[in-house]
Amino acid sequence: MVATDSLVLLVLSLDIGALMLPTSDFIIPKEGFRYHHAEPGYVMLTYWIPEGPFMLPANASHQVGVGGFVISGSNEVLVVQEKQCAPANCGLWKIPTRFVLQSEELYAGAIREVKEETGIDTEFVEVIAFSYTYTTHNVCTYNVAFEKSDLFFICTLRPLSAETIVDDPEIEAAKWMPQVEFVKQPFIQEDSMFKKIIDICMACLEKHYCGLTSHQMVSKCDGKLSSLYYNFINMEEIYQLYWQLN
Amino acid sequence: MVATDSLVLLVLSLDIGALMLPTSDFIIPKEGFRYHHAEPGYVMLTYWIPEGPFMLPANASHQVGVGGFVISGSNEVLVVQEKQCAPANCGLWKIPTRFVLQSEELYAGAIREVKEETGIDTEFVEVIAFSYTYTTHNVCTYNVAFEKSDLFFICTLRPLSAETIVDDPEIEAAKWMPQVEFVKQPFIQEDSMFKKIIDICMACLEKHYCGLTSHQMVSKCDGKLSSLYYNFINMEEIYQLYWQLN
């Protein structure tokens, strides 16, 4: 790290150089403006005109990822191997996962990432679980690019095509893998999070689980089209299942 | 809007002034650095050192809100009136809602916002639904502060105290409201999104619905403590319920 009075140069890794410019470097923030957010092409500063506390909603706070569990009629799971992977999970065949874009519906993001990573067309079925990971400020203080919380949604999708095509710089290989082989991979069996997620996927297949389906509606509050994700318990189906099990 | 070659000054509303500084205004971005994100105290620029595409994850893309449905043993719902409201919903008594902070667990955010808005202590029960709203770039192009997607989680919480205390600049009043009165408010009855959410809350109370509970675990992938939210169908309870209904 190189530090001067006016800027901090960080090397986050061998791949990334980063410059962190504090408020004091620019005249405009001194005049009462404050940074609100930045995107690759611009930085936005805002000024709250009325007296009283600053009430403008903060910058976006979370990154959202999605994982797509796709299974064929012959019980094969759609899996990928990534080009870049941590030593612990090299060789792992995993479900496709990717960030959702900032102006993209969640289910559309799931369909897109499965298509990009494997070439397979799908239709969205439901969200079956989500994980929430937050980063506290006292961990790796200067690694500010990652001081946001992550939401990761696990979705089930129905395949509409069969032939895998790999044309993605992050993906080494994609294939259909027998469910039994997929589940018994050591990394999945030894990782509490992965194992639970796969257990839920399997429970879904056996209709022991009800996920959240997407329903589009407009609220009068903002007039925007939104998707409300909620579950629907079919009492009749569950009753029949109960009798099969007992 | 005032535009010159070098900066764009926007007035987003009577309350907010905003400055949008394009990349071309600074020398540093011209040298290959690009804005990554900004917070009130700094702006960060990054540079991708290897050849090939920029692989650093993008800036945070989503804002996350949470609404807390709290009901007392005597079927009263914890509700608030906001100081600032759109004309259409003035006078509405609603459940407490607020943004989750960027370094805060989802369930902790729900507990915090209920406490801040009403003074009531609670414990988290479950997430019962979530809404997802995305903003497309072709809507209000210059209103860039809001070009992010929103996730809004509806949670149920159990009250641990009874006396409401209002000490929040955004809240006009807080109280316990009989469930029947709460539900029959015209704004809730006439809004498809609000009505569905309240229907789900009521189904939860009658145990016709299973939400997602939080389970903490660590994945070997990143070594971080995360919460996995998933549901658990109690077959025995549902079976008994089925017989009561039929």
Side-chain angles (χ1 to χ4, degrees):
Chain A
M1 190 182 82
V2 179
T4 71
D5 277 354
S6 60
L7 67 85
V8 180
L9 174 60
L10 313 170
V11 178
L12 297 181
S13 75
L14 289 179
D15 288 343
I16 308 157
L19 277 177
M20 211 172 112
L21 304 181
T23 307
S24 56
D25 273 11
F26 295 126
I27 295 165
I28 293 161
K30 286 183 182 160
E31 297 301 321
F33 279 82
R34 53 197 276 176
Y35 296 123
H36 186 270
H37 69 281
E39 294 297 333
Y42 69 87
V43 56
M44 175 169 268
L45 300 102
T46 50
Y47 182 88
W48 186 250
I49 298 166
E51 287 188 21
F54 185 88
M55 302 287 272
L56 191 65
N59 183 9
S61 51
H62 291 66
Q63 285 182 315
V64 176
V66 65
F69 182 75
V70 186
I71 196 156
S72 73
S74 50
N75 269 353
E76 290 182 313
V77 181
L78 183 60
V79 291
V80 296
Q81 271 186 341
E82 291 180 341
K83 280 189 181 153
Q84 305 270 350
C85 56
N89 59 2
C90 262
L92 173 70
W93 289 97
K94 56 186 277 298
I95 62 172
T97 56
R98 191 149 281 186
F99 285 117
V100 176
L101 304 179
Q102 69 181 28
S103 294
E104 180 178 51
E105 237 297 350
L106 188 65
Y107 63 79
I111 292 169
R112 176 184 54 79
E113 55 111 8
V114 171
K115 177 72 176 174
E116 284 177 0
E117 295 195 5
T118 69
I120 298 293
D121 295 305
T122 55
E123 64 183 357
F124 175 82
V125 180
E126 58 187 12
V127 169
I128 56 170
F130 67 89
S131 73
Y132 188 99
T133 311
Y134 69 100
T135 307
T136 53
H137 281 279
N138 56 359
V139 177
C140 191
T141 306
Y142 287 108
N143 197 0
V144 286
F146 304 100
E147 270 185 5
K148 300 283 179 174
S149 295
D150 282 336
L151 271 158
F152 181 73
F153 291 87
I154 302 104
C155 305
T156 53
L157 300 105
R158 195 173 293 121
L160 299 175
S161 66
E163 190 192 353
T164 58
I165 301 163
V166 175
D167 181 23
D168 186 302
E170 293 180 26
I171 298 300
E172 183 65 38
K175 68 172 183 179
W176 293 98
M177 187 179 204
Q179 179 194 321
V180 177
E181 268 183 48
F182 171 66
V183 173
K184 76 177 183 195
Q185 293 181 94
F187 192 89
I188 288 178
Q189 287 300 319
E190 292 161 11
D191 188 276
S192 56
M193 176 76 82
F194 271 44
K195 183 154 188 341
K196 187 68 214 177
I197 290 172
I198 300 306
D199 284 350
I200 295 170
C201 291
M202 295 305 147
C204 268
L205 289 179
E206 292 160 14
K207 300 205 173 190
H208 291 189
Y209 189 88
C210 61
L212 310 181
T213 49
S214 170
H215 308 263
Q216 292 207 316
M217 50 189 80
V218 176
S219 171
K220 287 162 76 178
C221 262
D222 55 14
K224 289 181 190 165
L225 183 68
S226 299
S227 295
L228 187 65
Y229 289 77
Y230 57 91
N231 75 27
F232 176 76
I233 299 181
N234 186 323
M235 297 293 287
E236 188 64 31
E237 267 187 23
I238 288 173
Y239 165 69
Q240 287 173 3
L241 184 65
Y242 180 86
W243 277 113
Q244 287 167 21
L245 293 174
N246 291 274
Chain B
M1 190 182 84
V2 180
T4 71
D5 277 354
S6 60
L7 66 86
V8 181
L9 174 60
L10 314 169
V11 178
L12 297 180
S13 74
L14 289 178
D15 288 343
I16 309 156
L19 278 177
M20 211 171 112
L21 304 181
T23 307
S24 56
D25 272 11
F26 295 127
I27 295 165
I28 293 161
K30 286 183 182 161
E31 297 300 321
F33 279 82
R34 53 197 277 178
Y35 297 123
H36 187 270
H37 69 281
E39 294 297 332
Y42 69 86
V43 56
M44 174 168 269
L45 300 100
T46 50
Y47 182 87
W48 186 249
I49 298 166
E51 287 188 22
F54 185 89
M55 302 287 272
L56 191 65
N59 183 9
S61 51
H62 291 67
Q63 285 182 314
V64 176
V66 65
F69 182 74
V70 186
I71 196 156
S72 72
S74 50
N75 268 354
E76 289 182 314
V77 182
L78 183 60
V79 290
V80 297
Q81 271 186 341
E82 292 180 342
K83 279 190 181 153
Q84 305 269 350
C85 56
N89 59 2
C90 262
L92 173 70
W93 289 97
K94 55 186 277 298
I95 63 172
T97 56
R98 191 149 282 187
F99 285 116
V100 176
L101 304 179
Q102 69 181 27
S103 294
E104 180 178 51
E105 236 296 350
L106 187 65
Y107 64 78
I111 292 168
R112 176 184 54 79
E113 55 112 8
V114 171
K115 177 72 175 174
E116 284 177 359
E117 296 195 5
T118 69
I120 298 294
D121 296 306
T122 55
E123 63 183 357
F124 175 82
V125 180
E126 58 187 11
V127 169
I128 55 170
F130 67 88
S131 72
Y132 188 98
T133 311
Y134 69 100
T135 307
T136 53
H137 282 279
N138 56 359
V139 177
C140 191
T141 307
Y142 287 108
N143 198 0
V144 286
F146 304 101
E147 270 186 4
K148 300 283 180 174
S149 295
D150 282 336
L151 271 158
F152 181 73
F153 291 87
I154 302 104
C155 306
T156 53
L157 300 106
R158 195 172 293 120
L160 299 175
S161 66
E163 190 192 353
T164 58
I165 301 163
V166 175
D167 181 23
D168 186 302
E170 293 180 25
I171 298 300
E172 183 65 38
K175 68 173 184 179
W176 293 97
M177 187 179 203
Q179 178 193 321
V180 177
E181 268 182 49
F182 171 66
V183 173
K184 76 177 183 195
Q185 293 181 95
F187 192 89
I188 288 179
Q189 287 299 319
E190 291 161 12
D191 188 276
S192 55
M193 176 76 84
F194 271 45
K195 183 155 189 336
K196 187 68 214 177
I197 289 172
I198 299 306
D199 283 350
I200 294 170
C201 292
M202 296 304 147
C204 269
L205 289 179
E206 293 161 14
K207 301 206 173 188
H208 292 190
Y209 189 88
C210 61
L212 310 181
T213 49
S214 170
H215 308 263
Q216 293 206 316
M217 51 190 79
V218 176
S219 171
K220 287 162 77 178
C221 262
D222 55 13
K224 289 182 190 165
L225 183 67
S226 298
S227 296
L228 187 65
Y229 290 77
Y230 57 91
N231 75 27
F232 175 75
I233 299 181
N234 185 323
M235 297 293 288
E236 188 64 31
E237 266 186 25
I238 288 174
Y239 165 69
Q240 287 173 2
L241 183 64
Y242 180 86
W243 276 113
Q244 286 166 21
L245 293 174
N246 291 275

